[in-house]
Amino acid sequence: MKLTIALAAVAAATLTSGIATAGTMADIQARGKLNCGVTGGQAGFSAPDASGVWHGMDVDYCRAIAAAVLKDPNAVNFIPTTGQTRFTALASGEIDILSRTTTWTFSRDVDLKFTFAGVNYYDGQAFMVPKSLGIKSAKDLDGATVCIQTGTTTELNLAEYFRKNNMKYEPVPVENNADVQQKYLAGGCDVYTSDGSDLASTRSSFKNPEHHIILPEVISKEPLGPLVRQGDDQWADVARWTLNALISAEELGITAENVEKLSAGSDNPDVNRLLGKEDKLGEMLGLDAEWAKRAIAAEGNYGEIFARNLGDKTPIALPRGLNAVWTDGGLMYGLPLR
C-alpha cells in the first residue's frame, strides 16, 4: 500500500508541477548549479564527510555532468532524498537528476515517466544477519523479523521470495539507511535485506563489521542507474552519454591523470572522438568539444571511480564482478561514440 501511495504522489507531482520538462540543461546553465538527488548517507555511493563534502560513486557521476555542462565539477547541489521522496523530488523539478542507487524497472520507466541514463552498477538483493544467529542461508530465515527500507523494490522481492519458499516473516519498515542501522544493531530485527552493495556499505560502517555476514543468496536483479524526467531528450542524452564517456574512457585507457596529454591527439580515432579532436559529438549534445574531457578529468573514468569508492582498498571492498568492463568478463560496455 505504501508503495502504491508513493507512486500516486509521483504521478500527481508530474501532472501538477507545471514545470517545463524541456530545457533542463538551459535552466542548469542559467542557475549555475546542477541539482543532484542522492541518498542521505550510503558510504561508497553518496555520503557527506565530517566537513560536509560529499563522496561516492553517484556523487562522482553528478560531478562529471557538472564538469561537462558547467565546466566546474563542484557546481553541484547535492540534495538528500529517501526511498519515499526521491521520485517526487525528480518529478516536481526539485532536482535535475536522481543519482541514488535506483533500480531501473518497467513501471518507473513507463508509468512514472522517467528516463534512465543507463546502468552504473549491476546489483542484486541479499540478506545480512548477525553471525551470532548461526544462519548460513536465506532458506533458514523462516519466521524472522526483517528490516526493509520503504518505497523500494526490495519490499516486493522480499514478499515474493518468502512466498515461493513457503516461509513467513515479519517486516520491520524503516525509511532510510541511518534508521536501518539503528534498528538492526539494536536487535529490532533479525535480518536486514537490501541491495548487496547497500548491505556491504552499511556493514562497513559498523564498529564490528566482522560480526555480521551477508548470506550467499541473491534473490533479484537490481540494475542501478541515474534517471531524469521524460520529455527532455537533450538532457537525457547528456546524462546518458556522460555515463558512457566514463565507461568508454576505462575501455580506452583514458584516466584523470593522462586525459590532458591524450587530448592533444592520439593514434586511436576512438580516443580522438571522445576527447573532441575528431567529429563534433559535443556540438550534437549542445556542448563544446571538450565536454567528455572535463567529465573524465573531474573524477576519473568508471574504473577509477569504482576503485576509489567501492573497490578492494576501501572498507566496503566490493569486487568488480558484473561491473567490470566487458573485456574483463563484466557487463559494463561503452556505447559506440560515432
Side-chain angles (χ1 to χ4, degrees):
M1 178 63 72
K2 287 183 180 179
L3 186 57
T4 302
I5 293 173
L7 297 181
V10 173
T14 303
L15 291 171
T16 63
S17 65
I19 62 169
T21 54
T24 303
M25 187 163 74
D27 291 342
I28 293 166
Q29 290 170 331
R31 187 194 308 137
K33 289 276 190 175
L34 170 71
N35 291 333
C36 175
V38 293
T39 63
Q42 183 179 348
F45 286 93
S46 55
D49 63 19
S51 300
V53 178
W54 286 83
H55 301 277
M57 193 167 189
D58 289 336
V59 167
D60 288 349
Y61 169 69
C62 279
R63 287 207 174 102
I65 291 184
V69 173
L70 298 171
K71 303 182 180 181
D72 181 0
N74 295 313
V76 187
N77 294 320
F78 293 106
I79 300 174
T81 63
T82 69
Q84 293 281 12
T85 65
R86 56 182 165 174
F87 298 130
T88 303
L90 181 58
S92 68
E94 179 185 355
I95 57 177
D96 304 309
I97 189 165
L98 180 63
S99 184
R100 188 199 179 280
T101 56
T102 299
T103 304
W104 188 349
T105 70
F106 181 95
S107 62
R108 291 171 178 177
D109 189 325
V110 176
D111 188 36
L112 297 187
K113 307 302 181 185
F114 295 135
T115 296
F116 281 78
V119 177
N120 71 345
Y121 192 91
Y122 288 94
D123 210 342
Q125 186 171 335
F127 299 92
M128 179 168 64
V129 298
K131 273 187 179 180
S132 59
L133 293 182
I135 294 173
K136 304 297 184 185
S137 167
K139 300 290 180 64
D140 300 328
L141 295 177
D142 191 19
T145 54
V146 184
C147 280
I148 184 169
Q149 289 194 47
T150 55
T152 65
T153 56
T154 53
E155 291 181 283
L156 180 59
N157 295 335
L158 176 67
E160 291 180 346
Y161 180 78
F162 272 74
R163 184 172 63 251
K164 284 190 298 186
N165 288 282
N166 297 312
M167 300 190 301
K168 295 182 179 181
Y169 70 99
E170 180 182 343
V172 180
V174 290
E175 189 170 350
N176 56 53
N177 192 266
D179 291 343
V180 168
Q181 291 189 40
Q182 183 178 2
K183 183 82 70 174
Y184 173 78
L185 291 174
C189 57
D190 303 315
V191 189
Y192 175 36
T193 186
S194 186
D195 295 342
S197 62
D198 184 31
L199 297 181
S201 170
T202 299
R203 182 175 62 175
S204 73
S205 68
F206 292 169
K207 182 179 180 180
N208 301 112
E210 70 278 5
H211 293 173
H212 305 267
I213 61 170
I214 297 173
L215 300 178
E217 289 86 354
V218 176
I219 69 169
S220 71
K221 294 184 291 185
E222 306 293 333
L224 309 179
L227 54 156
V228 299
R229 294 179 294 278
Q230 284 184 10
D232 187 343
D233 289 344
Q234 181 190 38
W235 180 234
D237 284 343
V238 170
R240 178 179 304 110
W241 288 102
T242 299
L243 176 58
N244 273 281
L246 300 178
I247 297 169
S248 295
E250 180 179 8
E251 294 177 335
L252 294 169
I254 306 171
T255 67
E257 183 178 354
N258 68 18
V259 65
E260 185 67 39
K261 179 180 178 181
L262 289 174
S263 67
S266 167
D267 293 335
N268 188 330
D270 289 329
V271 171
N272 290 335
R273 271 191 289 271
L274 180 58
L275 299 183
K277 298 299 290 185
E278 295 182 16
D279 295 345
K280 297 181 179 180
L281 303 185
E283 183 178 318
M284 296 177 196
L285 286 172
L287 297 172
D288 65 4
E290 295 189 338
W291 67 278
K293 172 187 172 182
R294 291 192 300 272
I296 298 161
E299 299 292 345
N301 64 39
Y302 178 83
E304 290 177 288
I305 291 171
F306 188 103
R308 181 172 58 253
N309 294 297
L310 302 172
D312 56 12
K313 294 182 180 179
T314 71
I316 301 172
L318 287 171
R320 285 293 295 267
L322 296 177
N323 297 293
V325 292
W326 65 287
T327 50
D328 292 333
L331 297 179
M332 284 297 164
Y333 192 114
L335 302 180
L337 289 148
R338 290 181 175 275

